Coordinates of all heavy atoms in Angstrom, one line a residue:
Chain A
F244 N -36.0 156.5 92.5 CA -35.0 157.5 92.9 C -34.2 157.9 91.7 O -33.9 159.1 91.4 CB -34.1 156.8 94.0 CG -32.8 157.5 94.2 CD1 -32.8 158.8 94.7 CD2 -31.6 157.0 93.8 CE1 -31.6 159.5 94.9 CE2 -30.4 157.6 93.9 CZ -30.4 158.9 94.5
T254 N -33.9 168.6 83.2 CA -34.6 169.9 83.3 C -33.6 171.0 83.8 O -34.0 172.2 83.7 CB -35.8 169.9 84.2 OG1 -35.5 169.2 85.4 CG2 -37.0 169.2 83.4
I265 N -40.5 183.5 85.1 CA -41.6 184.2 85.8 C -41.7 185.7 85.5 O -42.7 186.2 85.2 CB -41.5 184.0 87.4 CG1 -41.7 182.6 87.8 CG2 -42.5 184.9 88.1 CD1 -41.4 182.3 89.2
Q269 N -36.9 190.8 80.0 CA -36.7 192.2 80.0 C -36.7 192.8 81.5 O -36.6 193.9 81.7 CB -37.7 193.0 79.2 CG -37.9 192.5 77.8 CD -36.6 192.7 77.0 OE1 -35.9 193.7 77.2 NE2 -36.3 191.7 76.2
L275 N -34.8 190.4 89.6 CA -34.5 189.0 89.2 C -33.7 188.3 90.2 O -33.9 187.1 90.6 CB -33.8 189.0 87.8 CG -34.0 187.8 86.9 CD1 -35.5 187.6 86.6 CD2 -33.3 188.0 85.6
G302 N -45.9 165.8 99.5 CA -47.1 166.2 98.8 C -47.1 167.7 98.4 O -48.1 168.2 97.9
A348 N -51.7 133.3 62.0 CA -51.0 132.1 62.3 C -51.7 130.8 61.9 O -51.0 129.9 61.4 CB -50.8 132.0 63.9
K353 N -50.5 131.9 53.8 CA -51.5 132.0 52.8 C -51.8 133.5 52.7 O -51.2 134.3 53.3 CB -52.8 131.3 53.3 CG -52.5 129.8 53.5 CD -53.5 128.9 52.9 CE -53.2 127.4 53.1 NZ -53.4 127.0 54.5
A363 N -50.4 145.2 59.6 CA -49.5 145.6 60.8 C -48.4 146.6 60.4 O -48.2 147.5 61.1 CB -48.9 144.3 61.3
L365 N -48.5 148.7 57.9 CA -49.1 150.1 57.7 C -49.3 150.8 59.0 O -49.1 152.0 59.1 CB -50.4 149.9 56.9 CG -50.3 149.9 55.4 CD1 -51.7 149.7 54.8 CD2 -49.7 151.2 54.9
V377 N -56.5 162.1 59.8 CA -57.4 161.4 58.9 C -58.7 161.1 59.6 O -59.8 161.3 59.1 CB -56.8 160.0 58.4 CG1 -57.8 159.2 57.7 CG2 -55.6 160.3 57.5
L380 N -60.8 164.2 59.9 CA -61.4 164.5 58.6 C -62.6 163.6 58.3 O -63.6 164.1 58.0 CB -60.3 164.3 57.6 CG -60.5 164.9 56.2 CD1 -60.6 166.4 56.4 CD2 -59.3 164.6 55.3
G393 N -61.7 168.2 72.3 CA -62.2 168.5 73.6 C -62.2 167.3 74.6 O -62.0 166.1 74.1
P397 N -65.8 162.1 82.7 CA -66.7 160.9 82.7 C -67.7 160.9 83.9 O -68.8 160.3 83.8 CB -65.7 159.8 82.9 CG -64.5 160.3 83.3 CD -64.4 161.7 82.8
H407 N -65.7 161.5 73.2 CA -64.5 162.4 73.0 C -63.2 161.7 73.0 O -62.3 162.1 72.4 CB -64.5 163.5 74.1 CG -65.5 164.6 73.8 ND1 -66.8 164.6 74.1 CD2 -65.3 165.8 73.2 CE1 -67.4 165.7 73.7 NE2 -66.5 166.5 73.1
M420 N -51.2 148.5 67.4 CA -51.7 147.2 66.9 C -50.6 146.4 66.3 O -50.5 145.2 66.4 CB -52.8 147.5 65.9 CG -53.8 146.5 65.8 SD -54.9 147.1 64.5 CE -54.1 146.3 63.1
S429 N -46.4 135.3 65.7 CA -45.2 134.5 65.9 C -45.3 133.5 67.1 O -44.9 132.4 66.9 CB -43.9 135.4 66.0 OG -43.8 135.9 67.2
E438 N -46.6 119.6 70.1 CA -47.2 118.3 70.3 C -48.6 118.3 70.9 O -49.5 117.6 70.4 CB -46.2 117.4 71.2 CG -46.4 115.9 71.0 CD -45.9 115.4 69.6 OE1 -45.1 116.2 69.0 OE2 -46.3 114.4 69.3
V454 N -57.6 126.1 68.8 CA -56.9 127.4 68.5 C -57.1 128.4 69.7 O -56.2 128.9 70.2 CB -57.4 128.0 67.2 CG1 -56.9 129.4 67.0 CG2 -57.0 127.1 66.0
I463 N -50.6 133.8 74.8 CA -51.0 135.2 75.2 C -49.9 135.9 76.1 O -49.8 137.1 76.1 CB -52.4 135.2 75.9 CG1 -53.0 136.6 75.8 CG2 -52.3 134.7 77.3 CD1 -53.5 137.0 74.5
I482 N -48.9 162.5 74.1 CA -48.5 163.9 74.1 C -49.0 164.5 72.8 O -49.6 165.6 72.7 CB -47.0 164.1 74.3 CG1 -46.6 163.5 75.6 CG2 -46.7 165.6 74.3 CD1 -45.1 163.5 75.8
M484 N -51.1 163.1 70.5 CA -52.5 162.8 70.2 C -53.4 163.7 71.0 O -54.4 164.3 70.5 CB -52.8 161.4 70.5 CG -54.0 160.9 69.7 SD -53.8 161.1 67.9 CE -52.5 159.8 67.7
T491 N -57.7 167.4 77.1 CA -56.9 167.9 78.2 C -56.5 166.9 79.3 O -57.0 166.8 80.4 CB -57.6 169.1 78.9 OG1 -59.0 168.6 79.2 CG2 -57.7 170.3 78.0
A518 N -42.6 157.4 86.0 CA -43.0 156.5 87.2 C -44.1 155.6 86.8 O -44.1 154.4 87.1 CB -43.3 157.4 88.4
V520 N -45.0 154.6 83.8 CA -44.5 153.6 82.8 C -43.8 152.5 83.6 O -44.0 151.3 83.4 CB -43.6 154.3 81.8 CG1 -42.8 153.2 81.0 CG2 -44.4 155.2 80.9
D535 N -48.9 132.7 84.1 CA -48.1 131.6 83.7 C -47.3 131.1 84.9 O -46.3 131.6 85.3 CB -47.1 132.1 82.6 CG -46.5 130.9 81.9 OD1 -46.5 129.8 82.5 OD2 -46.1 131.1 80.8

Side-chain angles (χ1 to χ4, degrees):
Chain A
F244 163 69
T254 45
I265 295 174
Q269 305 300 319
L275 208 58
K353 304 228 177 66
L365 272 179
V377 170
L380 197 61
H407 278 84
M420 212 183 90
S429 76
E438 203 68 19
V454 170
I463 199 77
I482 302 175
M484 204 57 72
T491 51
V520 169
D535 195 339

